[in-house]
Amino acid sequence: PGYIITDKINGLLFPVGDQAALVNCMRSIADDAGFADRISKQGISDSQRFDTSQIAGQWLSFIEKVWAK
C-alpha cells in the first residue's frame, strides 16, 4: 500500500492489525467531508498510473530495451 498510497494525500495508511488506527482513519474521513473529497479525487487521479494500458506500455518498453541489448 505504501507504494501506491501517499498518506493523507491520496488515501490513509495505518499499521496492519491496528484497529484503533483504522477507527481514527475512518473518523478523519467521516468528520471532514472536504478532506474525504480531496483524498478521493487525488486517489482516482493517481490510480490512472496503474491503468492496464500504462502498465502494458511500460512492460513493452522494458522488453524492447532488453531485446535491443
Side-chain angles (χ1 to χ4, degrees):
Y3 174 74
I4 297 170
I5 298 169
T6 302
D7 194 35
K8 298 180 180 81
I9 302 296
N10 62 357
L12 296 172
L13 295 171
F14 59 91
V16 173
D18 188 338
Q19 292 179 347
L22 172 59
V23 169
N24 288 333
C25 287
M26 293 172 70
R27 280 188 181 141
S28 69
I29 292 171
D31 291 345
D32 188 343
F35 174 64
D37 187 54
R38 282 190 307 277
I39 65 171
S40 174
K41 287 179 180 173
Q42 189 64 50
I44 291 167
S45 174
D46 290 352
S47 72
Q48 293 174 0
R49 65 186 166 142
F50 299 104
D51 182 73
T52 53
S53 63
Q54 285 275 31
I55 300 299
Q58 290 173 12
W59 273 108
L60 182 57
S61 177
F62 173 74
I63 291 168
E64 288 172 346
K65 286 178 187 176
V66 170
W67 190 259
K69 291 181 180 182

